[in-house]
Amino acid sequence: MTTAHETMVRGMLRSYPADLGHVDREALARCIEECVACAQSCTACADACLSEVRVADLGKCVRTDLDCADICETTGRVLSRHTGYDANVTRTQLTACAAACKACGDECAKHAPMHEHCRICADACRRCEEACQELLAVLG
């Protein structure tokens, strides 16, 4: 099922007036989509953690959620800009995003048996980490 956001990302990539070079548009679109989805999931998970009865046990989870959300959001924005493209900046940002997603996914997975929001977030983090690694591999 294609969401409105997925359609928008692909539409914006198709409508870009300049040549995007040899970038794999599908990998790029997927990575942008996963970054946006992960940022939302991490933000919602942090908020849900703060509503849990034993919130003190989730301090690290909240922190990794918020860090990951910020990094994913920034990565999605960086990947959406093509004018004056700098491959080194893009690779560095993707590497940081994959690392943040791994850390957050690992932390949320620890709480997933007790908190459904952490399971959902861990899954989103894994998908985003995978999308960042996939795009890194095709960027060369």
Side-chain angles (χ1 to χ4, degrees):
M1 181 172 104
T2 301
T3 67
H5 187 274
E6 291 170 343
T7 301
M8 185 272 309
V9 169
R10 284 169 173 73
M12 289 303 290
L13 287 173
R14 279 191 307 275
S15 70
Y16 188 72
D19 182 13
L20 289 177
H22 300 292
V23 68
D24 181 333
R25 287 180 190 230
E26 185 56 35
L28 178 60
R30 178 173 176 251
C31 195
I32 293 169
E33 292 159 0
E34 294 296 348
C35 284
V36 171
C38 192
Q40 188 281 325
S41 181
C42 289
T43 300
C45 185
D47 184 66
C49 285
L50 292 172
S51 295
E52 292 291 348
V53 174
R54 297 184 58 157
V55 67
D57 296 341
L58 298 167
K60 184 174 181 185
C61 192
V62 170
R63 171 60 192 258
T64 58
D65 279 338
L66 295 176
D67 287 349
C68 191
D70 288 346
I71 292 167
C72 286
E73 186 176 322
T74 299
T75 303
R77 288 194 318 263
V78 167
L79 294 176
S80 296
R81 298 180 195 128
H82 308 289
T83 304
Y85 172 76
D86 185 328
N88 290 326
V89 169
T90 299
R91 279 193 289 276
T92 300
Q93 187 65 39
L94 284 166
T95 300
C97 191
C101 288
K102 176 161 182 23
C104 190
D106 289 350
E107 182 61 28
C108 281
K110 292 177 189 175
H111 307 287
M114 296 170 291
H115 305 294
E116 178 70 3
H117 55 84
C118 287
R119 185 198 60 74
I120 293 167
C121 189
D123 290 347
C125 288
R126 300 288 184 240
R127 286 190 307 273
C128 190
E129 178 186 10
E130 180 182 287
C132 287
Q133 295 292 0
E134 178 185 312
L135 186 54
L136 274 167
V138 298
L139 288 178

